Amino acid sequence: MSGLVQDPATAGGEASGGLLRPGFAEPALDAQRCFRTLLSAMAHPGRIHALDVAIEPPARLMPGSAALCLTLLDAETPLWLDAACADEEARAYLRFHCGCPLVDDSRAAAFGLVGGALPPLGDFAPGDDLAPEDSATVIWQVEALEDEGPLRLSGPGIDGIRALGLAPLPGHFLEERARGHAAFPAGVDLILVAGSRLVGLPRSTRIETAGEG
Amino acid sequence: MTAESSRPRVPQGAGSARPGYNYAFLDEATKREIRRKLLKAVAIPGHQVPFSSREMPLPPGWGTGGIQVTASLVGPADVLKVIDQGADDTTNAVSIRRFFAETAGVETTTSTRRASLIQTRHRIPETPLAEGQILVFQVPLPEPLRFLEPRESETRRLHALAEYGSAYVSLYEQVARHGRIAQSYDYPVMVGGRYLMRPSPIPSFDNPKLDRNPALLLFGAGRERRLYAVPPYTPVESLSFEDRPFAVERSPQACDLCGATDSFLDEIVADDAGSRLFACSDSEYCNERQRRLGRSVVAP
Amino acid sequence: MYVAVKGGERAIRNAHQRLAERRRGDPATAELELNQIREQLGLAVDRVMSEGSLYAPELAALALKQARGDSVEAAFLLRVYRNTLPRFGYSEPLETARMAVERRISGAFKDLPGGQLLGATADYTHRLLDFSLAEARALDSQLVAPADEAPKGGTSDGGTSNGGPDGSAGPAAPTAASSETAAGAAVPRALDLLGDETLIETPPDADDGPVPDITREPPLFPAGRAQRLQTLARGDEGFLVGLAYSSQRGYGNTHPFVGELRQGRVSVEFTPEELGFAVEIGEVELSEMETINQFQGDAEQPPRFTRGYGLAFGRAERKALAMALLDRALRAEELGEEKSSPAQDEEFVLEHADNILSTGFLEHLKLPHHVDFQSERELLRALRKAWDERRRQAREAAE
């Protein structure tokens, strides 16, 4: 709750070489543009969107996920980073530009940022029936997003069925999503990022594999 | 003192279309909060998400929810349309449109087709919306169960349990009394088969437009501090009974200005003798039709 | 052609122009200056700051001038302005025990350490229109020296300042002569005296945990006491007074005594992250009210006194008193009392206390609603047709 005042000296000092990469060139307008792309992605689950913003992210972050962090995070949003993202440079970058608290307990995080293997979705806060909005949003950096592939998506935002290809596709993912669907309206929302491309997978989206009934 | 100098004098912020103001009036932290909540609203279609809601330069109850949503969305690439009662030239619509032209420097339009962003009070445009467009509704009372249960703590519980029996009972009581459902606007709908939702006080004539609409529908209730959403192509069903299907009330007349028989009509007392004129409530739709018919355009 | 709600830009511009003319009134009269409003209509300024949730006397005076004296409209202007200001952080909690007290009275205690200070009050004046105020005149500002008041003994450690007229006071004979206590000198709270005897509860919610902020997170119900006090502090004075009055008349009974009312200036401290220690950034004038209320006790808890708390910007003791009564009334559930009256109903009180919300929604009825009205009209025509038909059939059946 306390208003965080960023201390550039401290934050910069933690960065490798003491240099902090810049955030948005035009914070208000860049954030607006990124948000609209993300909103469209969440409103059209599975459709691949491209973020139109020039950004030089910390080495462990993709441009898309860095831009989303700058767009969404601040002192009111605790962030959990997986080991693949959480080097000093990324931490300093996020603390300085977003002012977000970095938490070790993924259940306490409003946002998760995953650069390695996707952890079980149950590790994140799902909200509950009374306040399903009190749930985590997980930004997941993947290697590839394709608009064709084995996944068949349906639900709000999709006119019929939409195909999606995704790599890597961890074995537990589909099963967890199916299980999570039964808990609706509670659930974790996913944003998949590959470079500066992204796909929204809100909890409301049903995911099956091609050939499934 | 002029109206000009009656505006707040100080503020700060860069990138604003109006010097001294934040871009689109709201500060970035407030926009971020609203944006985060809008994403949750989209992920849970029909569910009311609480948000902090700021005082805006218009009184709460006059569209501050819709304005905060629009302010969190709008950008230089947008083309904005604002309507009240279906019309672009009602004073409230003019006032809100000017607010965004001044604070965000956004291009405005009356054309439903050209607009990327439409803020509305009480209507859905007659021209069908397209994918990629966003319609922002101003909502006075977001809670569909409010007049059945005034307590927020209790209605929240009912939504959690999807316990909507009382809404059906209330409609059934109307059937028992009048032989039909006697509700002509703000007619409750079920979103995605899960959440009972108040569509804002649009006439029930507009309800069918909510169903599987290709546009993104966003709802902002500023005074009541709630946001909610219907994503594109989401099924939205007006409550009804098997033997009492949902039916729409519309004057049997055609528009006296453009001849439309498919649009919602305002009924206007035209002279002291009480003679009536019927005209489209959607001013742009009416003007467009008149133009295509080669008539000289009369504003409805 | 139909123009009732249309006409757009020009109509709005003309409305603004007419408003400006109305605001100015007869140009032959002198125009109000902000310092006149601030200095001479101070209570109006205080109310606007309180309900506008912004301590800024100069801006509140401007808002009053702009709103033509309409305090609700002025508070609204201030609230909106408040939202354009950047938020640097949160101040340290105000130490009202270290208030430079200008006025301090207790209804419950005959006497209390620190003395009673009557300050500037109309409480004991006869409410007669003072026709001498109709003309501008120099202020006859001779304060009566305390010696002339013949205090009946008792304490006189009221803490004086600046060697001005002495602030000592006798019991039940508070002095009006005191300027105020020295800033920063602690004047013990009256209720702490009772605490020593364990007859009164310790203040509820006294822990140092994070304080929720109703302007950042909308309160959901049941709300905590912090959200309740925040909402009441910016609530409409008239609404609060009416509800508090209802609780006095038997719609929920709070049995209040004024434990202590204190008014004066309190310094505001802020701890910048880079400094790590608190620095004074200014001061605010406050009215603080603590009431003492009965509590019957039950099998678990002994009978004891309970507390109600009120706080408002400026000299706003009516508001602070009403707030304290409502704070206590709203604790009914917590204290296991029967909850039967509006003043005890948290959701009812808190959801309707804000005059900016209530005024906005009430007045939005002036906006055009002709689409909904037209829908209702068509519906009513259909219902009426069906009703007439049923009546006709019934009549025919009877014949």
Side-chain angles (χ1 to χ4, degrees):
Chain A
M1 277 310 301
S2 70
L4 280 183
V5 179
Q6 273 302 321
D7 182 350
T10 325
E14 288 174 16
S16 50
L19 263 181
L20 204 56
R21 293 174 196 275
F24 283 142
E26 290 185 280
L29 299 181
D30 288 345
Q32 186 274 336
R33 214 165 51 245
C34 287
F35 170 68
R36 284 293 287 280
T37 305
L38 175 60
L39 178 65
S40 175
M42 292 304 262
H44 300 94
R47 181 185 292 177
I48 297 171
H49 287 66
L51 282 167
D52 168 30
V53 62
I55 198 162
E56 216 187 303
R60 301 273 184 104
L61 303 192
M62 291 177 173
S65 42
L68 292 181
C69 288
L70 295 175
T71 302
L72 295 172
L73 305 187
D74 57 28
E76 292 174 5
T77 51
L79 171 68
W80 178 87
L81 295 168
D82 77 343
C85 286
D87 69 344
E88 270 316 307
E89 187 196 11
R91 296 170 72 91
Y93 180 90
L94 292 166
R95 254 203 303 261
F96 178 71
H97 288 299
C98 305
C100 56
L102 301 177
V103 294
D104 295 328
D105 177 8
S106 58
R107 300 276 306 185
F111 285 85
L113 179 50
V114 174
L118 184 71
L121 293 177
D123 288 359
F124 298 95
D128 58 25
D129 287 351
L130 272 179
E133 70 277 6
D134 287 345
S135 59
T137 303
V138 176
I139 300 169
W140 176 21
Q141 301 187 155
V142 299
E143 286 161 24
L145 291 170
E146 301 294 341
D147 54 13
E148 49 194 37
L151 300 184
R152 297 288 174 269
L153 315 184
S154 60
I158 301 170
D159 188 12
I161 287 178
R162 177 172 290 129
L164 178 69
L166 162 65
L169 183 57
H172 63 93
F173 176 62
L174 291 177
E175 195 189 316
E176 275 184 348
R177 278 293 305 218
R179 220 170 336 137
H181 206 82
F184 187 86
V188 173
D189 302 311
L190 285 170
I191 305 169
L192 280 46
V193 175
S196 54
R197 303 199 307 157
L198 76 148
V199 157
L201 284 182
R203 71 195 77 178
S204 56
T205 304
R206 201 171 277 280
I207 309 178
E208 288 158 325
T209 45
E212 252 180 64
Chain B
M1 188 184 278
T2 66
E4 200 58 35
S5 64
S6 71
R7 298 200 181 92
R9 291 178 302 178
V10 185
Q12 70 308 182
S16 164
R18 191 188 167 90
Y21 279 80
N22 296 313
Y23 183 78
F25 188 79
L26 293 177
D27 63 279
E28 290 304 300
T30 299
K31 285 184 206 161
R32 265 195 305 274
E33 188 225 0
I34 294 174
R35 288 168 180 168
R36 291 193 297 259
K37 303 266 166 87
L38 284 175
L39 293 172
K40 290 298 173 192
V42 167
I44 318 163
H47 169 65
Q48 301 167 56
V49 178
F51 81 115
S52 65
S53 192
R54 303 287 191 266
E55 285 85 6
M56 298 299 284
L58 277 77
W62 295 55
T64 53
I67 290 171
Q68 289 180 78
V69 170
T70 300
S72 305
L73 296 173
V74 72
D78 277 309
V79 180
L80 175 71
K81 172 182 167 87
V82 183
I83 51 173
D84 187 339
Q85 311 296 299
D88 299 274
D89 57 352
T90 42
T91 35
N92 196 46
V94 168
S95 153
I96 292 172
R97 188 162 54 240
R98 200 180 59 175
F99 176 75
F100 284 111
E102 284 178 2
T103 61
V106 65
E107 183 190 348
T108 61
T109 184
T110 58
S111 164
T112 300
R113 276 193 191 83
R114 278 202 64 222
S116 58
L117 202 52
I118 303 173
Q119 180 168 327
T120 180
R121 177 169 174 266
H122 293 195
R123 279 307 314 273
I124 297 175
E126 308 291 2
T127 306
L129 301 175
E131 204 177 274
Q133 289 184 306
I134 301 178
L135 183 60
V136 178
F137 293 76
Q138 301 175 198
V139 180
L141 293 167
E143 178 49 66
L145 301 167
R146 182 57 70 234
F147 291 112
L148 307 170
E149 170 50 65
R151 277 168 208 291
E152 180 66 22
S153 38
E154 181 60 15
T155 51
R156 230 158 41 104
R157 198 183 62 83
L158 295 173
H159 283 293
L161 299 169
E163 177 52 68
Y164 297 130
S166 59
Y168 283 97
V169 169
S170 126
L171 287 184
Y172 193 76
E173 280 169 358
Q174 295 173 12
V175 173
R177 178 183 297 261
H178 301 291
R180 54 166 291 170
I181 294 170
Q183 186 157 350
S184 66
Y185 65 92
D186 218 345
Y187 191 105
V189 294
M190 191 65 92
V191 177
R194 172 57 179 83
Y195 278 103
L196 188 68
M197 187 188 91
R198 221 166 155 154
S200 89
I202 55 172
S204 49
F205 174 87
D206 282 341
N207 270 30
K209 299 175 188 167
L210 294 165
D211 185 36
R212 296 168 210 272
N213 196 304
L216 171 61
L217 313 179
L218 300 175
F219 298 79
R223 199 179 37 76
E224 298 279 339
R225 301 164 159 180
R226 295 293 185 276
L227 301 169
Y228 51 103
V230 176
Y233 309 112
T234 304
V236 177
E237 200 186 334
S238 302
L239 292 198
S240 61
F241 301 99
E242 251 170 45
D243 56 341
R244 304 280 170 184
F246 170 78
V248 163
E249 211 59 59
R250 182 192 177 276
S251 348
Q253 284 81 359
C255 172
D256 285 324
L257 301 177
C258 75
T261 53
D262 58 354
S263 67
F264 188 84
L265 300 178
D266 290 339
E267 180 177 341
I268 301 157
V269 180
D271 56 32
D272 290 352
S275 56
R276 307 296 164 94
L277 177 80
F278 288 85
C280 294
S281 113
D282 184 335
S283 55
E284 189 248 354
Y285 182 76
C286 193
N287 293 347
E288 197 53 36
R289 279 182 54 90
Q290 291 178 53
R291 214 168 284 132
R292 258 184 286 138
L293 292 168
R295 299 185 187 172
S296 60
V297 176
V298 180
Chain C
M1 201 56 220
Y2 178 59
V3 290
V5 293
K6 302 190 179 184
E9 291 281 1
R10 215 173 29 157
I12 295 175
R13 253 201 319 276
N14 285 338
H16 289 175
Q17 185 53 39
R18 283 173 187 278
L19 184 62
E21 286 166 14
R22 279 281 178 181
R23 179 183 299 122
R24 180 60 184 86
D26 182 352
T29 62
E31 182 165 349
L32 264 178
E33 289 172 17
L34 296 191
N35 57 7
Q36 292 177 314
I37 298 172
R38 196 191 57 219
E39 295 301 318
Q40 298 175 42
L41 297 175
L43 297 190
V45 167
D46 289 346
R47 178 167 181 181
V48 168
M49 293 197 300
S50 211
E51 292 166 7
S53 294
L54 185 71
Y55 194 89
E58 190 75 25
L59 294 176
L62 172 62
L64 272 168
K65 178 178 178 177
Q66 184 178 331
R68 299 192 286 156
D70 178 344
S71 73
V72 175
E73 175 75 9
F76 175 38
L77 291 168
L78 214 54
R79 279 264 191 106
V80 175
Y81 174 73
R82 179 187 191 274
N83 279 333
T84 66
L85 301 175
R87 177 175 294 239
F88 294 118
Y90 293 81
S91 75
E92 299 297 319
L94 298 178
E95 266 305 340
T96 52
R98 304 192 74 82
M99 176 185 281
V101 175
E102 187 201 332
R103 170 165 163 76
R104 178 185 190 232
I105 56 162
S106 170
F109 298 101
K110 184 177 181 189
D111 187 16
L112 62 166
Q116 302 215 24
L117 299 169
L118 207 48
T121 181
D123 281 354
Y124 303 103
T125 63
H126 298 145
R127 274 25 175 247
L128 300 170
L129 268 180
D130 181 354
F131 294 104
S132 70
L133 286 174
E135 299 291 332
R137 58 173 185 154
L139 184 64
D140 173 20
S141 66
Q142 275 312 100
L143 289 173
V144 185
D148 299 341
E149 284 191 291
K152 296 173 244 156
T155 57
S156 59
D157 52 350
T160 61
S161 65
N162 315 331
D166 188 78
S168 62
T175 175
S178 159
S179 48
E180 61 183 33
T181 61
V187 180
R189 285 208 191 75
L191 267 63
D192 294 343
L193 307 175
L194 268 182
D196 293 343
E197 247 187 289
T198 70
L199 279 184
I200 190 159
E201 64 174 350
T202 49
D205 288 358
D207 66 278
D208 290 330
V211 179
D213 179 343
I214 58 164
T215 69
R216 312 302 278 188
E217 297 165 73
L220 297 174
F221 297 99
R225 187 158 182 255
Q227 285 109 323
R228 181 198 305 158
L229 291 174
Q230 288 172 35
T231 307
L232 293 175
R234 48 161 45 187
D236 180 72
E237 181 173 312
F239 181 78
L240 265 51
V241 168
L243 276 173
Y245 176 51
S246 77
S247 78
Q248 286 182 285
R249 289 192 65 257
Y251 288 85
N253 198 341
T254 51
H255 304 282
F257 298 99
V258 169
E260 180 177 358
L261 159 71
R262 55 171 63 197
Q263 251 173 32
R265 290 172 296 111
V266 179
S267 73
V268 180
E269 298 187 338
F270 179 71
T271 306
E273 286 282 324
E274 62 269 32
L275 287 186
F277 56 87
V279 291
E280 182 177 334
I281 54 171
E283 54 178 24
V284 294
E285 192 171 22
L286 291 175
S287 300
E288 183 187 51
M289 180 72 70
E290 285 195 281
T291 56
I292 303 172
N293 307 70
Q294 283 179 20
F295 175 63
Q296 305 293 346
D298 52 32
E300 299 296 313
Q301 309 185 62
R304 63 186 197 296
F305 291 121
T306 53
R307 297 166 184 257
Y309 185 79
L311 186 78
F313 282 149
R315 289 147 293 173
E317 59 193 69
R318 185 191 302 130
K319 162 86 173 266
L321 180 56
M323 178 174 164
L325 260 62
L326 287 175
D327 171 41
R328 174 59 184 82
L330 290 171
R331 294 179 58 204
E333 198 157 294
E334 166 201 338
L335 294 167
E337 296 167 339
E338 191 195 352
K339 209 175 102 178
S340 55
S341 304
Q344 298 168 314
D345 185 330
E346 178 180 75
E347 198 166 333
F348 180 82
V349 174
L350 300 190
E351 286 282 45
H352 303 115
D354 191 298
N355 59 20
I356 287 150
L357 298 181
S358 59
T359 303
F361 197 47
L362 184 74
E363 297 197 358
H364 106 284
L365 291 173
K366 296 182 288 187
L367 286 174
H369 284 77
H370 54 257
V371 164
D372 292 344
F373 180 70
Q374 180 63 18
S375 306
E376 285 290 85
R377 192 145 56 155
E378 297 295 349
L379 172 66
L380 215 52
R381 280 174 182 146
L383 291 180
R384 180 62 76 84
K385 208 169 133 195
W387 188 83
D388 288 342
E389 179 62 18
R390 281 200 302 276
R391 287 283 285 236
R392 194 183 55 78
Q393 285 173 0
R395 242 191 340 265
E396 282 172 10
E399 278 163 12

